[in-house]
Amino acid sequence: MKEVEMSLGDAVQNSDLSLTTSPALAEIPARDASTLVRLVRDRLRLAVARDELPSGTRLNQEQVASQLGVSRMPVRAAISELVAEGLLERLPAGGVAVRPLSAKDVTDVYEIRQALESQAVRHVATFRPEDGIAQIQHVLDKHQGKVAGYDAAQLLEVDREFHMSIMAATGNNQFQKVVVPVWSVVERAMFRMLTMPDVAAIAWDEHQMIAAAIFAGDADLAEKRLRQHLENGSAQLAKFISGTE
């Protein structure tokens, strides 16, 4: 895969990346220091997931800070967190760049998802918390009949909403905290593939089948369907990424 080595400023000047109009990298309103670090981190993570910052893109802290309208301090802290997550990598000559995504990255991440989400779905199907069940149903109702008209960014949001609603329904906030870094790899792999015919429709049907098993209180079936859903996604994404490497 050919790397793109440029600062954010160079990217704008060369018009290879339309960062000035990037939704993910729009200016951040004033916030306290800890909130700013989180917001910068999430914005950068989203920009990578949406391929607004492709593999190999070099990040210049000053340019990122200027683009987001913040000081260098939260940018530096956010970049360190994303390096720890494996989304960015430090370069031998100094600086950081977007780390290339491999098929192994995808299979490794989905192995973690299997462990976390199978436990979450069993919990929700077993105990069927009223508020949690209502939220899962709300996600289904919100997007029913609309998925076919969504673009890739909207489809990523639908997928995130559904899976996060199951983890939130457990009442254990640690599920979501643990899975957030993993999710950046998932969305990064999914973004381009979601434009392919039938991929989104199949995933949506599988979501509905998982939810039906949860609503019926069948923990075994809910886990089985969830695992099959993730196995299908892992295989498709790994194959797709292998073909682009």
Side-chain angles (χ1 to χ4, degrees), residues 223-236:
E223 181 182 0
K224 179 181 178 180
R225 288 178 174 175
L226 184 280
R227 285 184 175 275
Q228 187 62 58
H229 173 63
L230 294 182
E231 287 169 5
N232 290 343
S234 177
Q236 288 179 317

Side-chain angles (χ1 to χ4, degrees), residues 69-131:
V70 300
S71 69
R72 289 182 61 184
M73 185 177 297
V75 173
R76 186 183 305 115
I79 285 176
S80 293
E81 291 186 20
L82 293 177
V83 168
E85 287 182 16
L87 204 63
L88 304 178
E89 61 182 357
R90 298 199 181 279
L91 302 173
V96 296
V98 178
R99 182 175 173 270
L101 182 67
S102 69
K104 187 177 186 303
D105 291 329
V106 173
T107 55
D108 286 351
V109 158
Y110 270 80
E111 183 177 354
I112 300 301
R113 286 190 67 185
Q114 288 258 12
L116 287 172
E117 295 189 50
S118 61
Q119 180 63 33
V121 81
R122 286 195 68 86
H123 179 101
V124 179
T126 299
F127 296 102
R128 286 187 288 175
E130 185 175 346
D131 289 346

Side-chain angles (χ1 to χ4, degrees), residues 4-236:
V4 182
E5 297 190 355
M6 58 182 74
S7 69
L8 291 180
D10 291 335
V12 174
Q13 292 169 9
N14 295 335
S15 66
D16 290 326
L17 298 173
S18 185
L19 297 180
T20 54
T21 58
S22 165
L25 297 177
E27 185 171 328
I28 296 174
R31 294 287 191 278
D32 62 69
S34 61
T35 301
L36 276 178
V37 172
R38 177 177 56 80
L39 288 172
V40 171
R41 180 199 63 205
D42 291 348
R43 291 288 189 86
L44 287 172
R45 186 189 285 133
L46 183 60
V48 173
R50 292 180 174 180
D51 211 30
E52 293 168 5
L53 293 174
S55 296
T57 302
R58 297 185 61 171
L59 302 185
N60 180 290
Q61 290 184 20
E62 291 184 1
Q63 294 289 348
V64 174
S66 176
Q67 182 74 28
L68 295 177
V70 300
S71 69
R72 289 182 61 184
M73 185 177 297
V75 173
R76 186 183 305 115
I79 285 176
S80 293
E81 291 186 20
L82 293 177
V83 168
E85 287 182 16
L87 204 63
L88 304 178
E89 61 182 357
R90 298 199 181 279
L91 302 173
V96 296
V98 178
R99 182 175 173 270
L101 182 67
S102 69
K104 187 177 186 303
D105 291 329
V106 173
T107 55
D108 286 351
V109 158
Y110 270 80
E111 183 177 354
I112 300 301
R113 286 190 67 185
Q114 288 258 12
L116 287 172
E117 295 189 50
S118 61
Q119 180 63 33
V121 81
R122 286 195 68 86
H123 179 101
V124 179
T126 299
F127 296 102
R128 286 187 288 175
E130 185 175 346
D131 289 346
I133 293 295
Q135 181 57 34
I136 295 170
Q137 185 65 62
H138 171 72
V139 172
L140 295 178
D141 292 343
K142 177 181 176 182
H143 301 291
Q144 186 64 41
K146 302 176 183 177
V147 172
Y150 286 167
D151 61 21
Q154 290 172 308
L155 292 171
L156 288 182
E157 182 65 26
V158 172
D159 191 69
R160 186 189 311 115
E161 282 186 23
F162 177 75
H163 287 278
M164 292 298 181
S165 71
I166 294 175
M167 286 181 278
T170 67
N172 184 344
N173 293 333
Q174 297 306 314
F175 275 110
Q176 290 171 290
K177 288 181 179 179
V178 171
V179 84
V180 165
V182 169
W183 212 265
S184 62
V185 177
V186 173
E187 293 192 334
R188 187 179 177 192
M190 288 176 62
F191 184 76
R192 285 168 292 174
M193 198 181 81
L194 282 173
T195 60
M196 297 172 64
D198 300 327
V199 170
I202 291 171
W204 179 251
D205 288 344
E206 291 175 350
H207 286 173
Q208 291 181 304
M209 292 175 65
I210 293 166
I214 292 173
F215 298 159
D218 192 332
D220 290 339
L221 182 59
E223 181 182 0
K224 179 181 178 180
R225 288 178 174 175
L226 184 280
R227 285 184 175 275
Q228 187 62 58
H229 173 63
L230 294 182
E231 287 169 5
N232 290 343
S234 177
Q236 288 179 317

